[in-house]
């Protein structure tokens, strides 16, 4: 089969599987799983069963990955629609952004240190709560492994999309601003998308701002914190 036809086929196949899975999530036994997880499993199984090389498949599917950037920008719509909420709560929100960014970076570094992770792997984990395109660039800048960073980002997003609201509910958090900030700051676009699917537009607005600001703050703070660590770690015997 000609290469251009294969690229189109793989592109359409990815879309088709996703929408079939999304339709199937109406059934109770699949409702708790985000479509992206189930679709990924189906695609992996198809590649294994039909012995299709990933690079060959990705020659067409990569165009969907390219759309991740525009999809992130499109989240600005609910942001503009609910800008009054942001202005009314700006102090609490912006402090929350800074706190969330520091916790995401420091917790990743702390866990990496506890489990004696290689320094390059540890660096790759630091931008885990940032949306993929930005996280990969941050990883390159600080000396991480971009591919590993992408995996960490996806895994973090999946966890946030599945368990984020449940954990907040467990602790009695019901405020739309708190939910949106927590989900967006910790699980970027995937978490935000899970809120959009529930049509929680106020939460989506805050979550969109959170994932954007946290990405910017991570890009600024991660290199600074790494330099401080490298400077003071020998002195403190770390």
């Amino acid at each position: 089969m000609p290469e251009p036809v294969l690229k189109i086929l793989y592109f359409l196949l990815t879309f088709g599987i996703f929408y079939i899975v999304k339709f199937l999530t109406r059934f109770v036994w699949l409702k708790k799983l985000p479509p992206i997880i189930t679709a990924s499993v189906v695609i992996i199984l198809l590649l294994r069963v039909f012995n299709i090389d990933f690079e060959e498949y990705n020659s067409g599917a990569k165009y969907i990955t390219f759309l991740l950037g525009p999809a992130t920008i499109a989240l600005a719509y609910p942001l503009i629609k609910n800008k009054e909420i942001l202005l009314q709560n700006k102090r609490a929100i912006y402090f929350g952004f800074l706190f969330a960014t520091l916790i995401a970076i420091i917790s990743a570094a702390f866990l990496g240190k506890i489990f004696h992770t290689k320094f390059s792997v540890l660096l790759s984990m630091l931008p885990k709560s940032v949306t993929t395109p930005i996280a990969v660039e941050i990883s390159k800048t600080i000396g991480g492994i971009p591919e590993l960073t992408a995996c960490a980002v996806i895994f973090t997003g999946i966890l946030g999309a599945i368990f984020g609201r449940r954990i907040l509910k467990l602790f009695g958090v019901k405020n739309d601003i708190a939910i949106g900030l927590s989900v967006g700051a910790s699980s970027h676009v995937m978490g935000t998308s899970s809120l959009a699917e529930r049509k929680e537009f106020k939460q989506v607005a805050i979550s969109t701002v959170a994932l954007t600001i946290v990405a910017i703050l991570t890009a600024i703070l991660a290199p600074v914190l790494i330099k401080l660590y490298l400077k003071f770690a020998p002195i403190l015997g770390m």
Side-chain angles (χ1 to χ4, degrees), residues 82-94 177 202 206:
N82 296 276
K83 62 181 179 181
E84 292 79 12
I85 301 171
L86 302 175
L87 294 172
Q88 290 169 6
N89 301 275
K90 58 184 178 182
R91 288 186 181 179
I93 289 171
Y94 292 133
I177 293 172
K202 288 184 180 179
I206 304 298

Side-chain angles (χ1 to χ4, degrees), residues 145-183:
I145 306 166
E147 294 80 5
L148 187 56
T149 300
C151 291
V153 169
I154 292 168
F155 187 68
T156 302
I158 288 170
L159 288 178
I162 297 175
F163 300 110
R165 284 180 56 85
R166 290 183 175 87
I167 293 171
L168 292 170
K169 187 177 180 180
L170 184 66
F171 286 95
V173 179
K174 297 179 180 178
N175 183 276
D176 286 334
I177 293 172
I179 293 171
L181 196 156
S182 302
V183 172

